[in-house]
Amino acid sequence: MNITIVNFKGGVGKSMIAHQLITGFGFYGYEIDPYGSLSDRLPERVERIDIQQKYLNKPSNETIFDFGGFDDIKLDQAISYSDLIIIPFIPTLETIQGTVDTLVRVASANKPILMVPNMSQKENDISDAKFVFEETLGYEIEMFSIPMSVALQTAINENSSIVELSKQVGIKAYAYKKSSKLIYDLHATIREYENL
Ligand SMILES: Nc1ncnc2c1ncn2[C@@H]1O[C@H](COP(=O)(O)OP(=O)(O)OP(=O)(O)O)[C@@H](O)[C@H]1O
Ligand SMILES: [Mg+2]
């Protein structure tokens, strides 16, 4: 399956999720972000797409399209190749409008959408965001929440999969267990959209 990860808002966790799906679950990546570092971190698995490029080749392996925090002409094409669109966002009142804009922009493609509230501080903010999204679209939308996690940030800094880090022995592995289970569950949720 192929997955588009998008939000025109920056710093919401798009590349973090892409990184964990690529390192933990065998996906390849297209980095459609001139400011991104995913292709530098994972050069064997992630191809950098030049900003001037107008078309994307259809990927032959399972691929994650990791967009930067802006609209791009290649977005429609990436979505057409994708089984699922993931929209990570930080659920605060100030940033919700940018996410609604992204949601409206991609919803017309009629592909399944998974919203991922990331680094949220309050449970209420997540339900408020869900309400706004569903009012905007007129139908229900699935959400998968990821809390702020030092373990996840460590995995990113070490350029490793949290799932792999949690397989180590000893006390350190214990610290990774919770976030590892979360990313494992995220992957399982994503797989429910395969071949829909
Ligand atoms: N749940 C989390 N817990 C801790 N740190 C996180 C979490 N999610 C993301 N981060 C960190 O927050 C920062 C921003 O995330 P990331 O780079 O993935 O956002 P992005 O949406 O790809 O941004 P851009 O729009 O610039 O491409 C990164 O340092 C990332 O490792
Ligand atoms: Mg990014």
Side-chain angles (χ1 to χ4, degrees), residues 168-181:
Q168 299 171 318
V169 285
I171 189 82
K172 257 186 120 179
Y174 186 77
Y176 298 128
K177 281 268 152 33
K178 205 169 153 194
S179 296
S180 169
K181 163 121 189 2

Side-chain angles (χ1 to χ4, degrees), residues 23 31 33 37 43 48 52 57 61 64 69 83 85 93-95 105 131-132 136-137 139 145 173 186:
T23 54
E31 179 169 52
D33 179 1
S37 63
R48 181 185 286 281
Q52 309 290 352
N57 293 324
N61 299 105
I64 311 284
D83 305 87
I85 301 165
L93 218 62
E94 304 81 64
T95 61
R105 166 79 172 78
F131 179 81
V132 171
T136 304
L137 292 177
Y139 50 85
S145 179
L186 173 64

Side-chain angles (χ1 to χ4, degrees), residues 11-191:
V12 295
K14 298 182 289 290
S15 301
M16 182 279 288
I17 294 169
H19 184 275
Q20 288 304 304
L21 291 174
I22 293 165
T23 54
F25 303 95
F27 284 92
Y28 285 77
Y30 281 4
E31 179 169 52
I32 307 150
D33 179 1
Y35 307 108
S37 63
L38 203 59
S39 52
D40 297 327
R41 294 159 143 283
L42 305 168
E44 262 103 75
R45 301 193 78 89
V46 180
E47 189 181 328
R48 181 185 286 281
I49 306 296
D50 194 276
I51 191 77
Q52 309 290 352
Q53 202 174 311
K54 288 202 169 61
Y55 302 100
L56 294 171
N57 293 324
K58 193 180 170 117
S60 46
N61 299 105
E62 292 197 307
T63 294
I64 311 284
F65 300 99
D66 178 30
F67 282 87
F70 53 87
D71 203 347
D72 187 290
I73 48 164
K74 294 177 284 298
L75 180 58
D76 294 301
Q77 203 177 21
I79 290 173
S80 76
Y81 294 145
S82 295
D83 305 87
L84 176 67
I85 301 165
I86 296 180
I87 306 182
F89 67 102
I90 297 170
T92 62
L93 218 62
E94 304 81 64
T95 61
I96 213 79
Q97 187 57 50
T99 300
V100 169
D101 293 345
T102 306
L103 183 60
V104 169
R105 166 79 172 78
V106 305
S108 56
N110 283 318
K111 291 284 175 113
I113 298 169
L114 178 66
M115 304 298 299
V116 177
N118 187 21
M119 300 186 271
S120 62
Q121 309 282 351
K122 288 179 275 158
E123 200 55 43
N124 254 349
D125 290 340
I126 299 179
S127 47
D128 287 353
K130 191 175 193 324
F131 179 81
V132 171
F133 299 148
E134 291 180 348
E135 282 289 299
T136 304
L137 292 177
Y139 50 85
E140 275 191 44
I141 195 149
E142 182 167 14
M143 309 253 276
F144 186 100
S145 179
I146 301 180
M148 173 76 89
S149 156
V150 174
L152 265 180
Q153 185 61 68
T154 305
I156 296 295
N157 292 348
E158 293 188 5
N159 202 21
S160 330
S161 158
I162 186 89
V163 176
E164 285 306 315
L165 290 182
S166 73
K167 287 178 186 160
Q168 299 171 318
V169 285
I171 189 82
K172 257 186 120 179
Y174 186 77
Y176 298 128
K177 281 268 152 33
K178 205 169 153 194
S179 296
S180 169
K181 163 121 189 2
L182 193 94
I183 294 299
Y184 191 87
D185 289 346
L186 173 64
H187 176 251
T189 301
I190 286 168
R191 285 294 173 192

